[in-house]
Amino acid sequence: MTPRQLQEPTRLLLTALADAPRHGYAIMQEVLAISNGQVSLRTGTLYTALDRLLQQGLVRVHAEEVVGGRMRRSYALTQEGRDALAAETERLSRTVREAERRLAARASGTAAPGRGFGPGAVTA
């Protein structure tokens, strides 16, 4: 069975947890940094996503502590979450490699036979 493609916020959230457990605010900051400021998760969106990922077994609660009178949870990837992120990374890498190959072929004026170039080929 082929793993399902991850949506961008989920992919970014899992990426933010790939190297270390983090609490909610730190996850939001990591997602902002990873996306070069393009994706800013709202608090409600983050915690809804974390609840879904907990239910799916992709993340787990790493620790709970009281900070300033409030409960703070930190989250970590499970092995299943790591595997899902690795599969998504490979899927994206294959797509990027193919796009680069096709762009290079187009730029050099050479194309592999039967690979979308030539008479009747549709190009953008």
Side-chain angles (χ1 to χ4, degrees), residues 12-118:
L12 291 168
L13 197 152
L14 294 178
T15 301
L17 293 172
D19 61 342
R22 291 188 166 80
H23 56 80
Y25 181 75
I27 293 170
M28 292 189 316
Q29 295 304 305
E30 284 295 309
V31 166
L32 195 60
I34 292 164
S35 68
N36 293 317
Q38 298 297 307
V39 177
S40 177
L41 293 178
R42 292 181 159 188
T43 304
T45 302
L46 171 68
Y47 287 104
T48 298
L50 284 169
D51 285 343
R52 179 176 45 79
L53 295 171
L54 281 164
Q55 289 175 0
Q56 293 173 343
L58 299 179
V59 300
R60 64 179 173 80
V61 174
H62 173 72
E64 294 180 321
E65 61 182 331
V66 177
V67 177
R70 297 180 64 184
M71 179 64 74
R72 177 191 283 178
R73 282 184 174 174
S74 61
Y75 300 87
L77 286 184
T78 62
Q79 187 58 51
E80 189 175 344
R82 218 166 260 299
D83 293 345
L85 182 58
E88 180 70 358
T89 300
E90 178 54 33
R91 184 190 70 77
L92 291 170
S93 293
R94 281 192 311 271
T95 301
V96 167
R97 285 191 303 268
E98 181 62 15
E100 289 172 338
R101 184 193 68 76
R102 289 175 183 234
L103 287 167
R106 181 68 172 206
S108 69
T110 62
R115 294 291 216 153
F117 294 110

